[in-house]
Amino acid sequence: MRVGVHINRFGHSGGAPALGAELAAAGAAAEAAGVSWLSVMDHYFQMEFNGGAEEPMLEAYTTLGYLAGHTSTVRLGALVTGVTYRHPGLLAKIATTLDVLSGGRATLGIGAAWYDREHHGLGVPYPPVAERFERLEETVRICLQMWDPENDGPFEGAHYRLAETLCVPAPVSSPHPELMIGGGGEKKTLRLVAQYADACNVIASSPEEIRHKFGVLRGHCDAVGRDYDGIRKTILYTGEAATTEDLDAFTRDVTGYTELGIDTVILAPRVGEPASWIDRFAAPAVQRVAGLA
């Protein structure tokens, strides 16, 4: 099991002018620590649990492009992009650009979206949940078609229609950038993971709950003829130990997940200055997790 870092706060003590240098330092610290994954939130407004919409929030893919220029090995992605935020063709182009400029290190993380306040706040349509899942499946299909060199369009769906699915230059990753679907919904989300995704991300609620979720995922894989073991499984750790920097508590928390086939445990510290936190906590956490049987 490996360690990832999810940057989810941008309230640096030096304000907006300090954010560029802080993110560059965080990228360098992550690679020095042996962190395998570095992600940012994709939201218009900051989450309520991080102080609310009046707190800073950077645009995700601009930030990931900046991190790509300040890193060389760590995998980069949004955790995760709401399907409503960008038109699917544009999203595929953005993810491809990140993949090209990072040398093949991009993951397109995507989900059905949920934060209604930011949609209403910026005037972005917020369809009912059933439609959002329909749009999620069409968006995934569009991205995969745009990454298929043998198929450049058209695409005709219930919600999206593209005359040409051209994507030039093509991704550096082969056969395409990793596609990650986030969420643990058993009827729709995990079915889409089984059918389309290279990776999944679920919140680390408890080892028992994650075992159950992965059992559901295995059932969906069997139903569509998919190799369950071919899906990279990641969990988002939300325990307080990552913020309080209690390494022993963190180790106890994640030990129960070691037999579930999880590739990466992603830490989401609620700190606005992540570089020093990576040095203090993520670096030794990498060693702790690597040593778990």
Side-chain angles (χ1 to χ4, degrees), residues 90-166:
L90 175 60
L91 178 61
K93 187 68 176 177
I94 290 169
T96 301
T97 299
L98 178 63
D99 192 65
V100 169
L101 297 183
S102 67
R105 293 184 286 128
T107 289
L108 174 56
I110 192 166
W114 61 272
Y115 193 21
D116 55 346
R117 178 180 175 178
E118 63 187 357
H119 289 78
H120 299 320
L122 296 190
V124 176
Y126 186 64
V129 64
E131 181 179 327
R132 298 202 305 275
F133 274 100
E134 292 171 2
R135 290 178 178 269
L136 175 58
E137 183 163 9
E138 286 193 17
T139 295
V140 167
R141 290 172 54 205
I142 289 166
C143 289
L144 292 174
Q145 183 168 321
M146 288 188 66
W147 291 333
D148 181 355
E150 304 301 322
N151 188 355
D152 59 9
F155 178 90
E156 291 288 337
H159 302 287
Y160 302 110
R161 295 168 182 82
L162 286 70
E164 299 178 89
T165 49
L166 283 169

